Amino acid sequence: MTGPLHGIKVIELSVAITGPLAAGLLVDQGAECIKIEQGPNGDIMRRLGTSVGDISSCFQVCNRGKRSAVIDLQQPKGLEIFEHLLADTDADVVIQNFRSGVAEKLGVSYKDVAAIKPDIIYADLSGFGSEGPYAHRRVYDTAIQAASGLAGNQTGANDDRPKFLRQLIADKLTAHTACQSITAALFARERGAGGQHLELSMLDAAIAFLFVDGADHEILPDAEHTWMQSMSASNTPIELADGHIAVAIPDDFEFHGLAEIFGVDSSDPDLKHLSDRLRNRPKSKALRQEIEKNATSFTVDEATAALESKQIPFGVIRDVEEVANDPQVIANQTFTEHQHPILGRVMQPRPPTRFHGTPTHLRQPSAPHLGQHTNEVVTEAGLGDDIAALREAGVIQ
């Protein structure tokens, strides 16, 4: 068996993370993808972060299994190649993340594409949206973290300074949202709905992501705001003698079990139930501080055994370089490795969902070099006899 999206063909006109990762998730599930890049340097992510040659670590993860063709869409012949690919390769999906108005200028907007392929699923990804006062702005992840409330949400009980997550979270969550939306549209098309235009802004995706659990007061503005705005606002790590752990103790048995483990008396009636602890925050905070003080005499192994015995949800805090060697990660076979002739050893996470009926696999685990497949893509577009002339004219690279 092959992946669940076997036979789906994607043409990607995007750079950075949002569009490429959305397409990459589809590829991980069995789709084929032609990535059209602009010369001379291609996707900006090829050059950002740890890299070997023209493939960075981020580019590798977002673009593994794709084919790269360098085609200048600003030239009529380049646009002609794109149009032939739409018609002649039976494309199912187009993904682009141009700024507002650029796709129309290039002739690759939904209207242009649907005129050639009416049943196309066209994912139009933007920063702030197609209309409004910010629509014209160039956007990177930090701008969306700021505007969506994600950075402001990183404040805590004793810290009111906004912080950026140390990752491109808005890019990634938009990519995952886009992937789900594309597969939903493909399913609808299968049921007779036809092709359609999908519009998704990073701002809307980030707000939808945040407001699940990080905007309690805004979702229910007329309720009593006993909880903080974000239910995880008071989460802090617990320092041990040789590391750190994170615990979650919303239930009463978890709260009192944690106190017992670290030798703290929690019998005060004001702390008996969650509702009591919410009304008596100073006492709850003092008890937490006492737990944290006592915890520093425990090793990670000692704390792990005690927490497991009380069935308290916890996790040992791992540095990134420790994750691959975590025994549960090893048991899950989360990472896959292969040897690349230029990149050397490549270690990356496998597609996270295991499809037992239509199993996924990395049929080509490496990302493509810039223009690696230009000739074969142009040939598939029916213009193989013109490759030399197209390259001479700078239409392809």
Side-chain angles (χ1 to χ4, degrees), residues 330-389:
I330 293 172
N332 289 353
Q333 299 179 320
T334 301
F335 286 92
T336 178
E337 286 193 21
H338 74 280
Q339 195 72 25
H340 189 277
I342 297 174
L343 303 179
R345 190 166 67 101
V346 177
M347 182 182 75
Q348 58 192 326
R350 60 166 171 78
T353 303
R354 295 182 185 272
F355 291 82
H356 290 283
T358 54
T360 59
H361 66 283
L362 302 181
R363 53 179 195 275
Q364 172 47 262
S366 293
H369 293 291
L370 182 63
Q372 181 177 338
H373 305 95
T374 298
N375 286 4
E376 65 183 63
V377 167
V378 173
T379 300
E380 289 172 17
L383 299 171
D385 293 340
D386 301 332
I387 286 176

Short mmCIF file of all heavy atoms in Angstrom, two decimals, residues 330-389:
data_model
loop_
_atom_site.label_atom_id
_atom_site.label_comp_id
_atom_site.label_asym_id
_atom_site.label_seq_id
_atom_site.Cartn_x
_atom_site.Cartn_y
_atom_site.Cartn_z
N ILE A 330 12.78 6.72 21.16
CA ILE A 330 13.40 5.56 20.50
C ILE A 330 12.35 4.47 20.29
O ILE A 330 12.27 3.87 19.21
CB ILE A 330 14.58 5.05 21.34
CG1 ILE A 330 15.72 6.08 21.34
CG2 ILE A 330 15.07 3.70 20.79
CD1 ILE A 330 16.84 5.75 22.30
N ALA A 331 11.52 4.22 21.31
CA ALA A 331 10.48 3.20 21.19
C ALA A 331 9.48 3.55 20.08
O ALA A 331 8.98 2.66 19.38
CB ALA A 331 9.76 3.03 22.52
N ASN A 332 9.20 4.82 19.92
CA ASN A 332 8.27 5.29 18.89
C ASN A 332 8.88 5.27 17.49
O ASN A 332 8.16 5.49 16.51
CB ASN A 332 7.79 6.71 19.19
CG ASN A 332 6.85 6.77 20.37
OD1 ASN A 332 6.44 5.76 20.91
ND2 ASN A 332 6.50 7.98 20.78
N GLN A 333 10.20 5.07 17.43
CA GLN A 333 10.92 5.14 16.14
C GLN A 333 10.60 6.46 15.42
O GLN A 333 10.31 6.50 14.23
CB GLN A 333 10.56 3.94 15.25
CG GLN A 333 10.94 2.61 15.88
CD GLN A 333 10.57 1.43 15.00
OE1 GLN A 333 9.50 1.41 14.38
NE2 GLN A 333 11.44 0.43 14.95
N THR A 334 10.69 7.54 16.19
CA THR A 334 10.30 8.86 15.70
C THR A 334 11.25 9.39 14.64
O THR A 334 10.83 10.07 13.70
CB THR A 334 10.22 9.85 16.88
OG1 THR A 334 9.27 9.36 17.84
CG2 THR A 334 9.81 11.24 16.41
N PHE A 335 12.53 9.09 14.79
CA PHE A 335 13.53 9.64 13.87
C PHE A 335 13.98 8.61 12.85
O PHE A 335 14.00 7.40 13.11
CB PHE A 335 14.74 10.15 14.65
CG PHE A 335 14.48 11.44 15.37
CD1 PHE A 335 14.04 11.45 16.67
CD2 PHE A 335 14.67 12.67 14.73
CE1 PHE A 335 13.78 12.65 17.35
CE2 PHE A 335 14.41 13.86 15.38
CZ PHE A 335 13.97 13.85 16.69
N THR A 336 14.31 9.13 11.69
CA THR A 336 14.85 8.30 10.62
C THR A 336 16.16 8.92 10.16
O THR A 336 16.32 10.15 10.19
CB THR A 336 13.86 8.18 9.45
OG1 THR A 336 14.44 7.39 8.41
CG2 THR A 336 13.49 9.54 8.89
N GLU A 337 17.09 8.10 9.74
CA GLU A 337 18.40 8.59 9.29
C GLU A 337 18.71 8.05 7.90
O GLU A 337 18.28 6.94 7.55
CB GLU A 337 19.51 8.15 10.24
CG GLU A 337 19.55 8.89 11.55
CD GLU A 337 20.85 8.63 12.31
OE1 GLU A 337 21.85 8.23 11.67
OE2 GLU A 337 20.86 8.84 13.54
N HIS A 338 19.42 8.84 7.13
CA HIS A 338 19.98 8.34 5.88
C HIS A 338 21.26 9.09 5.58
O HIS A 338 21.52 10.16 6.14
CB HIS A 338 18.99 8.47 4.72
CG HIS A 338 18.80 9.86 4.20
ND1 HIS A 338 17.98 10.78 4.84
CD2 HIS A 338 19.30 10.51 3.12
CE1 HIS A 338 17.99 11.92 4.16
NE2 HIS A 338 18.79 11.78 3.12
N GLN A 339 22.07 8.54 4.73
CA GLN A 339 23.34 9.13 4.35
C GLN A 339 23.19 9.80 3.00
O GLN A 339 22.79 9.17 2.02
CB GLN A 339 24.44 8.07 4.30
CG GLN A 339 25.86 8.64 4.29
CD GLN A 339 26.27 9.23 5.63
OE1 GLN A 339 25.74 8.86 6.67
NE2 GLN A 339 27.22 10.16 5.61
N HIS A 340 23.50 11.09 2.95
CA HIS A 340 23.40 11.85 1.71
C HIS A 340 24.81 12.08 1.17
O HIS A 340 25.73 12.38 1.95
CB HIS A 340 22.72 13.19 1.97
CG HIS A 340 22.38 13.97 0.75
ND1 HIS A 340 23.30 14.78 0.11
CD2 HIS A 340 21.24 14.09 0.04
CE1 HIS A 340 22.73 15.36 -0.93
NE2 HIS A 340 21.47 14.95 -1.00
N PRO A 341 25.02 11.96 -0.13
CA PRO A 341 26.39 12.08 -0.66
C PRO A 341 27.02 13.46 -0.45
O PRO A 341 28.25 13.56 -0.44
CB PRO A 341 26.21 11.79 -2.16
CG PRO A 341 24.76 12.00 -2.43
CD PRO A 341 24.05 11.63 -1.17
N ILE A 342 26.22 14.49 -0.29
CA ILE A 342 26.76 15.83 -0.07
C ILE A 342 26.49 16.32 1.35
O ILE A 342 27.38 16.86 2.02
CB ILE A 342 26.17 16.83 -1.09
CG1 ILE A 342 26.57 16.43 -2.51
CG2 ILE A 342 26.63 18.26 -0.79
CD1 ILE A 342 25.93 17.26 -3.59
N LEU A 343 25.28 16.11 1.84
CA LEU A 343 24.91 16.60 3.17
C LEU A 343 25.53 15.78 4.29
O LEU A 343 25.67 16.24 5.41
CB LEU A 343 23.39 16.60 3.33
CG LEU A 343 22.57 17.38 2.31
CD1 LEU A 343 21.09 17.23 2.61
CD2 LEU A 343 22.97 18.85 2.32
N GLY A 344 25.89 14.53 3.99
CA GLY A 344 26.37 13.64 5.04
C GLY A 344 25.18 13.00 5.74
O GLY A 344 24.15 12.71 5.13
N ARG A 345 25.30 12.78 7.04
CA ARG A 345 24.24 12.13 7.80
C ARG A 345 23.06 13.08 7.97
O ARG A 345 23.22 14.21 8.42
CB ARG A 345 24.77 11.68 9.16
CG ARG A 345 23.80 10.78 9.93
CD ARG A 345 24.50 10.11 11.09
NE ARG A 345 24.89 11.07 12.11
CZ ARG A 345 24.22 11.27 13.25
NH1 ARG A 345 23.14 10.57 13.51
NH2 ARG A 345 24.65 12.14 14.12
N VAL A 346 21.88 12.63 7.62
CA VAL A 346 20.66 13.41 7.78
C VAL A 346 19.74 12.66 8.74
O VAL A 346 19.36 11.52 8.49
CB VAL A 346 19.93 13.64 6.43
CG1 VAL A 346 18.62 14.39 6.65
CG2 VAL A 346 20.84 14.39 5.47
N MET A 347 19.39 13.31 9.85
CA MET A 347 18.45 12.74 10.81
C MET A 347 17.24 13.67 10.88
O MET A 347 17.38 14.88 11.06
CB MET A 347 19.08 12.61 12.20
CG MET A 347 18.14 11.98 13.21
SD MET A 347 18.85 11.87 14.88
CE MET A 347 18.73 13.59 15.40
N GLN A 348 16.05 13.11 10.73
CA GLN A 348 14.85 13.93 10.71
C GLN A 348 13.67 13.12 11.24
O GLN A 348 13.69 11.88 11.18
CB GLN A 348 14.56 14.42 9.30
CG GLN A 348 14.39 13.32 8.28
CD GLN A 348 14.39 13.82 6.85
OE1 GLN A 348 13.93 14.90 6.57
NE2 GLN A 348 14.91 13.01 5.94
N PRO A 349 12.66 13.79 11.78
CA PRO A 349 11.49 13.04 12.24
C PRO A 349 10.69 12.49 11.08
O PRO A 349 10.56 13.13 10.04
CB PRO A 349 10.68 14.09 13.02
CG PRO A 349 11.13 15.41 12.47
CD PRO A 349 12.56 15.22 12.07
N ARG A 350 10.19 11.29 11.25
CA ARG A 350 9.31 10.69 10.25
C ARG A 350 7.96 11.40 10.28
O ARG A 350 7.66 12.14 11.22
CB ARG A 350 9.12 9.20 10.55
CG ARG A 350 8.49 8.94 11.91
CD ARG A 350 8.00 7.52 12.07
NE ARG A 350 7.61 7.23 13.45
CZ ARG A 350 6.47 7.62 14.00
NH1 ARG A 350 5.59 8.32 13.31
NH2 ARG A 350 6.19 7.31 15.26
N PRO A 351 7.09 11.19 9.27
CA PRO A 351 5.72 11.69 9.37
C PRO A 351 5.09 11.18 10.67
O PRO A 351 5.15 9.97 10.95
CB PRO A 351 5.04 11.10 8.13
CG PRO A 351 6.15 10.90 7.16
CD PRO A 351 7.33 10.50 7.99
N PRO A 352 4.51 12.04 11.48
CA PRO A 352 4.12 11.64 12.83
C PRO A 352 2.98 10.64 12.93
O PRO A 352 2.96 9.81 13.83
CB PRO A 352 3.75 12.96 13.51
CG PRO A 352 3.43 13.89 12.40
CD PRO A 352 4.31 13.49 11.26
N THR A 353 2.01 10.71 12.02
CA THR A 353 0.86 9.80 12.08
C THR A 353 1.20 8.49 11.38
O THR A 353 1.70 8.48 10.26
CB THR A 353 -0.38 10.42 11.43
OG1 THR A 353 -0.67 11.66 12.06
CG2 THR A 353 -1.58 9.50 11.55
N ARG A 354 0.90 7.40 12.03
CA ARG A 354 1.07 6.08 11.41
C ARG A 354 -0.25 5.66 10.77
O ARG A 354 -1.25 5.44 11.47
CB ARG A 354 1.50 5.05 12.45
CG ARG A 354 2.87 5.31 13.07
CD ARG A 354 3.21 4.18 14.05
NE ARG A 354 4.45 4.42 14.77
CZ ARG A 354 5.65 4.05 14.32
NH1 ARG A 354 5.75 3.44 13.16
NH2 ARG A 354 6.73 4.28 15.05
N PHE A 355 -0.27 5.57 9.46
CA PHE A 355 -1.44 5.10 8.73
C PHE A 355 -1.28 3.59 8.52
O PHE A 355 -0.48 3.15 7.71
CB PHE A 355 -1.54 5.80 7.37
CG PHE A 355 -1.88 7.27 7.43
CD1 PHE A 355 -0.90 8.22 7.68
CD2 PHE A 355 -3.19 7.70 7.23
CE1 PHE A 355 -1.20 9.57 7.73
CE2 PHE A 355 -3.50 9.05 7.28
CZ PHE A 355 -2.52 9.99 7.53
N HIS A 356 -2.07 2.82 9.23
CA HIS A 356 -1.88 1.37 9.16
C HIS A 356 -2.52 0.76 7.92
O HIS A 356 -2.17 -0.35 7.52
CB HIS A 356 -2.42 0.71 10.44
CG HIS A 356 -1.59 1.00 11.64
ND1 HIS A 356 -0.38 0.38 11.89
CD2 HIS A 356 -1.77 1.88 12.67
CE1 HIS A 356 0.14 0.85 13.01
NE2 HIS A 356 -0.68 1.77 13.50
N GLY A 357 -3.46 1.46 7.30
CA GLY A 357 -4.05 0.96 6.07
C GLY A 357 -3.35 1.47 4.83
O GLY A 357 -3.22 0.76 3.83
N THR A 358 -2.88 2.72 4.90
CA THR A 358 -2.17 3.34 3.77
C THR A 358 -0.87 3.93 4.31
O THR A 358 -0.74 5.14 4.46
CB THR A 358 -3.02 4.45 3.12
OG1 THR A 358 -3.42 5.39 4.13
CG2 THR A 358 -4.25 3.87 2.45
N PRO A 359 0.09 3.09 4.66
CA PRO A 359 1.28 3.56 5.37
C PRO A 359 2.09 4.59 4.60
O PRO A 359 2.21 4.53 3.38
CB PRO A 359 2.10 2.27 5.59
CG PRO A 359 1.60 1.32 4.55
CD PRO A 359 0.15 1.65 4.36
N THR A 360 2.61 5.56 5.35
CA THR A 360 3.46 6.59 4.76
C THR A 360 4.91 6.18 4.89
O THR A 360 5.30 5.43 5.78
CB THR A 360 3.26 7.93 5.48
OG1 THR A 360 3.59 7.78 6.87
CG2 THR A 360 1.82 8.41 5.38
N HIS A 361 5.71 6.70 4.00
CA HIS A 361 7.16 6.49 4.09
C HIS A 361 7.83 7.62 3.31
O HIS A 361 7.22 8.26 2.46
CB HIS A 361 7.56 5.14 3.52
CG HIS A 361 7.33 5.00 2.05
ND1 HIS A 361 6.08 4.78 1.50
CD2 HIS A 361 8.19 5.06 0.98
CE1 HIS A 361 6.17 4.71 0.19
NE2 HIS A 361 7.44 4.88 -0.16
N LEU A 362 9.08 7.86 3.64
CA LEU A 362 9.85 8.89 2.94
C LEU A 362 10.47 8.25 1.70
O LEU A 362 11.58 7.75 1.74
CB LEU A 362 10.93 9.47 3.85
CG LEU A 362 10.43 10.10 5.16
CD1 LEU A 362 11.61 10.65 5.96
CD2 LEU A 362 9.42 11.20 4.89
N ARG A 363 9.69 8.26 0.60
CA ARG A 363 10.20 7.56 -0.59
C ARG A 363 11.43 8.26 -1.16
O ARG A 363 12.24 7.65 -1.83
CB ARG A 363 9.11 7.46 -1.65
CG ARG A 363 8.43 8.74 -2.02
CD ARG A 363 7.38 8.50 -3.11
NE ARG A 363 6.99 9.75 -3.71
CZ ARG A 363 6.06 10.55 -3.22
NH1 ARG A 363 5.40 10.19 -2.14
NH2 ARG A 363 5.77 11.69 -3.80
N GLN A 364 11.58 9.55 -0.92
CA GLN A 364 12.80 10.28 -1.25
C GLN A 364 13.08 11.19 -0.06
O GLN A 364 12.51 12.27 0.06
CB GLN A 364 12.63 11.09 -2.53
CG GLN A 364 13.79 12.04 -2.86
CD GLN A 364 15.15 11.40 -2.72
OE1 GLN A 364 15.83 11.56 -1.70
NE2 GLN A 364 15.58 10.68 -3.75
N PRO A 365 13.95 10.74 0.86
CA PRO A 365 14.11 11.47 2.12
C PRO A 365 14.86 12.78 2.02
O PRO A 365 14.89 13.54 2.98
CB PRO A 365 14.88 10.47 3.00
CG PRO A 365 15.64 9.62 2.02
CD PRO A 365 14.75 9.51 0.82
N SER A 366 15.48 13.07 0.89
CA SER A 366 16.27 14.31 0.76
C SER A 366 15.49 15.40 0.04
O SER A 366 14.67 15.12 -0.83
CB SER A 366 17.57 14.03 -0.01
OG SER A 366 18.42 13.18 0.73
N ALA A 367 15.77 16.63 0.42
CA ALA A 367 15.23 17.78 -0.30
C ALA A 367 16.02 17.97 -1.60
O ALA A 367 17.19 17.59 -1.68
CB ALA A 367 15.34 19.03 0.56
N PRO A 368 15.42 18.56 -2.62
CA PRO A 368 16.10 18.71 -3.90
C PRO A 368 17.08 19.87 -3.91
O PRO A 368 16.88 20.88 -3.22
CB PRO A 368 14.95 18.96 -4.87
CG PRO A 368 13.94 19.70 -4.04
CD PRO A 368 14.03 19.07 -2.67
N HIS A 369 18.13 19.75 -4.68
CA HIS A 369 18.99 20.89 -4.94
C HIS A 369 18.27 21.85 -5.89
O HIS A 369 17.35 21.45 -6.61
CB HIS A 369 20.32 20.43 -5.54
CG HIS A 369 21.16 19.63 -4.59
ND1 HIS A 369 21.76 20.19 -3.49
CD2 HIS A 369 21.49 18.31 -4.57
CE1 HIS A 369 22.42 19.26 -2.83
NE2 HIS A 369 22.27 18.11 -3.46
N LEU A 370 18.68 23.08 -5.88
CA LEU A 370 18.03 24.10 -6.69
C LEU A 370 18.06 23.71 -8.17
O LEU A 370 19.12 23.50 -8.74
CB LEU A 370 18.71 25.46 -6.49
CG LEU A 370 18.10 26.64 -7.26
CD1 LEU A 370 16.68 26.91 -6.80
CD2 LEU A 370 18.97 27.90 -7.05
N GLY A 371 16.88 23.59 -8.76
CA GLY A 371 16.78 23.27 -10.18
C GLY A 371 17.14 21.84 -10.54
O GLY A 371 17.33 21.52 -11.71
N GLN A 372 17.20 20.97 -9.56
CA GLN A 372 17.63 19.60 -9.80
C GLN A 372 16.76 18.88 -10.83
O GLN A 372 17.24 18.03 -11.58
CB GLN A 372 17.61 18.81 -8.48
CG GLN A 372 18.05 17.37 -8.58
CD GLN A 372 18.07 16.67 -7.22
OE1 GLN A 372 18.16 17.32 -6.18
NE2 GLN A 372 17.99 15.35 -7.23
N HIS A 373 15.48 19.24 -10.89
CA HIS A 373 14.55 18.52 -11.77
C HIS A 373 13.98 19.41 -12.87
O HIS A 373 12.97 19.06 -13.48
CB HIS A 373 13.41 17.95 -10.92
CG HIS A 373 13.88 17.09 -9.79
ND1 HIS A 373 14.05 17.59 -8.51
CD2 HIS A 373 14.23 15.78 -9.75
CE1 HIS A 373 14.47 16.62 -7.72
NE2 HIS A 373 14.60 15.52 -8.44
N THR A 374 14.65 20.54 -13.13
CA THR A 374 14.10 21.46 -14.13
C THR A 374 13.89 20.78 -15.48
O THR A 374 12.82 20.89 -16.09
CB THR A 374 15.03 22.68 -14.31
OG1 THR A 374 15.12 23.39 -13.07
CG2 THR A 374 14.48 23.62 -15.37
N ASN A 375 14.88 20.07 -15.95
CA ASN A 375 14.77 19.44 -17.27
C ASN A 375 13.61 18.47 -17.36
O ASN A 375 12.82 18.49 -18.33
CB ASN A 375 16.08 18.73 -17.64
CG ASN A 375 17.19 19.70 -18.01
OD1 ASN A 375 17.01 20.91 -17.94
ND2 ASN A 375 18.33 19.16 -18.40
N GLU A 376 13.46 17.61 -16.36
CA GLU A 376 12.39 16.62 -16.44
C GLU A 376 11.01 17.26 -16.28
O GLU A 376 10.04 16.83 -16.90
CB GLU A 376 12.59 15.49 -15.44
CG GLU A 376 12.52 15.86 -13.98
CD GLU A 376 12.82 14.67 -13.07
OE1 GLU A 376 13.96 14.15 -13.12
OE2 GLU A 376 11.91 14.28 -12.31
N VAL A 377 10.93 18.33 -15.46
CA VAL A 377 9.64 19.01 -15.30
C VAL A 377 9.24 19.71 -16.60
O VAL A 377 8.07 19.64 -17.03
CB VAL A 377 9.71 20.02 -14.13
CG1 VAL A 377 8.51 20.96 -14.14
CG2 VAL A 377 9.81 19.28 -12.80
N VAL A 378 10.19 20.38 -17.24
CA VAL A 378 9.91 21.05 -18.52
C VAL A 378 9.52 20.01 -19.57
O VAL A 378 8.61 20.24 -20.39
CB VAL A 378 11.11 21.88 -18.98
CG1 VAL A 378 10.89 22.43 -20.39
CG2 VAL A 378 11.35 23.04 -18.01
N THR A 379 10.17 18.87 -19.54
CA THR A 379 9.82 17.80 -20.48
C THR A 379 8.39 17.31 -20.23
O THR A 379 7.63 17.08 -21.19
CB THR A 379 10.80 16.63 -20.35
OG1 THR A 379 12.13 17.09 -20.64
CG2 THR A 379 10.46 15.49 -21.29
N GLU A 380 8.03 17.16 -18.97
CA GLU A 380 6.67 16.74 -18.65
C GLU A 380 5.64 17.77 -19.10
O GLU A 380 4.48 17.42 -19.37
CB GLU A 380 6.54 16.49 -17.15
CG GLU A 380 7.27 15.26 -16.67
CD GLU A 380 7.28 15.13 -15.16
OE1 GLU A 380 6.47 15.81 -14.50
OE2 GLU A 380 8.09 14.36 -14.64
N ALA A 381 6.07 19.03 -19.17
CA ALA A 381 5.18 20.09 -19.65
C ALA A 381 5.08 20.11 -21.17
O ALA A 381 4.39 20.98 -21.74
CB ALA A 381 5.66 21.45 -19.14
N GLY A 382 5.77 19.18 -21.82
CA GLY A 382 5.69 19.08 -23.27
C GLY A 382 6.64 19.98 -24.02
O GLY A 382 6.50 20.16 -25.24
N LEU A 383 7.63 20.56 -23.33
CA LEU A 383 8.54 21.50 -23.96
C LEU A 383 9.99 21.02 -23.89
O LEU A 383 10.93 21.81 -23.88
CB LEU A 383 8.42 22.88 -23.28
CG LEU A 383 7.02 23.53 -23.37
CD1 LEU A 383 6.95 24.76 -22.49
CD2 LEU A 383 6.70 23.89 -24.81
N GLY A 384 10.17 19.70 -23.85
CA GLY A 384 11.50 19.14 -23.73
C GLY A 384 12.43 19.54 -24.86
O GLY A 384 13.64 19.71 -24.66
N ASP A 385 11.90 19.72 -26.07
CA ASP A 385 12.74 20.09 -27.20
C ASP A 385 13.26 21.52 -27.10
O ASP A 385 14.19 21.90 -27.83
CB ASP A 385 11.95 19.93 -28.51
CG ASP A 385 11.63 18.48 -28.82
OD1 ASP A 385 12.31 17.59 -28.27
OD2 ASP A 385 10.70 18.23 -29.61
N ASP A 386 12.66 22.30 -26.22
CA ASP A 386 13.03 23.72 -26.11
C ASP A 386 13.94 24.02 -24.92
O ASP A 386 14.21 25.18 -24.63
CB ASP A 386 11.76 24.58 -25.97
CG ASP A 386 10.82 24.43 -27.15
OD1 ASP A 386 11.32 24.13 -28.25
OD2 ASP A 386 9.60 24.59 -26.95
N ILE A 387 14.41 22.99 -24.23
CA ILE A 387 15.16 23.20 -22.99
C ILE A 387 16.38 24.09 -23.21
O ILE A 387 16.62 25.04 -22.45
CB ILE A 387 15.57 21.85 -22.37
CG1 ILE A 387 14.33 21.19 -21.74
CG2 ILE A 387 16.67 22.04 -21.32
CD1 ILE A 387 14.59 19.80 -21.18
N ALA A 388 17.18 23.81 -24.23
CA ALA A 388 18.40 24.60 -24.46
C ALA A 388 18.06 26.07 -24.71
O ALA A 388 18.70 26.97 -24.16
CB ALA A 388 19.18 24.02 -25.63
N ALA A 389 17.05 26.31 -25.53
CA ALA A 389 16.68 27.69 -25.85
C ALA A 389 16.09 28.39 -24.61
O ALA A 389 16.37 29.58 -24.39
CB ALA A 389 15.66 27.70 -26.98
#
